Amino acid sequence: DTGVSQDPRHKITKRGQNVTFRCDPISEHNRLYWYRQTLGQGPEFLTYFQNEAQLEKSRLLSDRFSAERPKGSFSTLEIQRTEQGDSAMYLCASSLDNYEQYFGPGTRLTVT
Amino acid sequence: AQKITQTQPGMFVQEKEAVTLDCTYDTSDQSYGLFWYKQPSSGEMIFLIYQGSYDEQNATEGRYSLNFQKARKSANLVISASQLGDSAMYFCAMRGRGPNDYKLSFGAGTTVTVRA
């Protein structure tokens, strides 16, 4: 039984570029979450999917951010026109219904 | 709204000794769940232990136990017999237990360093 996987693990990009991250949840999990973690802080909720439906977006998610989960399997998080303030660890988690959330290894984004 | 407070930014513990990590919380929910996660330097958040607000007994998982004091709104994590591999960041988190409660709210974390 494989865990949550994320790709890439690290991404360095120049300000203004677009980036896309991928998350593959645990296969039988119907719920998928994205969180953002800045240095020295705990993760903060970004968005949530139940199957393919995106049910909530945090106010942290500006219009430059978009997330999808086609077919209710993997998910992508895209950031357009990146800014230095977007530099953070982006964590994906999945769960079966409302049970424990299991996290992936994260994608560390550095915007130069 | 839910709020988690972890007041210890960093702690040192000697190998084989026990360590207690503090966590206090604030919520208006009647039913909620409390979680502890471990984050090593690799970045992955590892689920450790869960306590439901209506659970009568404190949760235990191997060397981890949760000292739950509902009236004080505290959910401290106790790690017994510390090992070098326990060196990591530890986060306390909570969420409601209703069908529409899914967001975890995290504290700022406590860094634990285990000394040989």
Side-chain angles (χ1 to χ4, degrees), chain A residues 35 37 45 56 98 101, chain B residues 37 39 95 101-103:
Chain A
Y35 291 83
Q37 185 180 21
F45 170 80
E56 184 174 345
N98 217 16
Q101 294 180 24
Chain B
Y37 284 85
Q39 188 176 41
R95 63 166 169 77
D101 292 319
Y102 42 80
K103 288 183 283 191

Side-chain angles (χ1 to χ4, degrees), chain A residues 4 9 31 33 35 37 40-45 48 55-56 89 91 98-106 108, chain B residues 35 37 39 41-47 50 89 91 95-99 101-109:
Chain A
V4 179
R9 294 291 307 277
R31 296 188 178 190
Y33 317 80
Y35 291 83
Q37 185 180 21
Q41 299 298 318
E44 295 175 291
F45 170 80
Y48 155 66
L55 297 185
E56 184 174 345
M89 174 78 91
L91 293 162
N98 217 16
Y99 290 99
E100 293 81 17
Q101 294 180 24
Y102 290 88
F103 283 79
R108 187 173 296 281
Chain B
F35 303 79
Y37 284 85
Q39 188 176 41
S41 56
S42 58
E44 183 173 355
M45 299 282 285
I46 302 168
F47 166 70
Y50 166 80
M89 192 85 162
F91 291 95
R95 63 166 169 77
R97 291 182 65 180
D101 292 319
Y102 42 80
K103 288 183 283 191
L104 285 170
S105 297
F106 286 85

Side-chain angles (χ1 to χ4, degrees), chain B residues 39-91:
Chain B
Q39 188 176 41
S41 56
S42 58
E44 183 173 355
M45 299 282 285
I46 302 168
F47 166 70
L48 296 178
I49 195 167
Y50 166 80
Q51 177 83 44
S53 59
Y54 285 104
D55 293 342
E56 293 186 355
Q57 299 215 341
N58 286 341
T60 60
E61 285 288 346
R63 295 186 298 111
Y64 304 108
S65 59
L66 201 151
N67 183 3
F68 180 47
Q69 298 188 45
K70 193 171 181 177
R72 293 187 175 185
K73 293 189 174 180
S74 75
N76 298 340
L77 178 71
V78 180
I79 307 174
S80 62
S82 296
Q83 302 172 356
L84 295 177
D86 293 335
S87 294
M89 192 85 162
Y90 289 81
F91 291 95

Side-chain angles (χ1 to χ4, degrees), chain A residues 37-107:
Chain A
Q37 185 180 21
T38 53
L39 205 59
Q41 299 298 318
E44 295 175 291
F45 170 80
L46 291 180
T47 190
Y48 155 66
F49 290 86
Q50 176 143 334
N51 299 311
E52 67 275 10
Q54 186 176 20
L55 297 185
E56 184 174 345
K57 287 178 63 172
S58 161
R59 294 173 197 173
L60 294 175
L61 231 55
S62 74
D63 292 343
R64 297 184 296 105
F65 288 72
S66 63
E68 295 182 342
R69 193 184 182 199
K71 303 179 183 178
S73 56
F74 71 92
S75 175
T76 58
L77 178 67
E78 180 183 15
I79 309 174
Q80 296 182 329
R81 305 182 303 283
T82 52
E83 301 173 357
Q84 286 189 322
D86 297 331
S87 295
M89 174 78 91
Y90 290 84
L91 293 162
C92 176
S94 71
S95 71
L96 178 61
D97 297 325
N98 217 16
Y99 290 99
E100 293 81 17
Q101 294 180 24
Y102 290 88
F103 283 79
T107 294

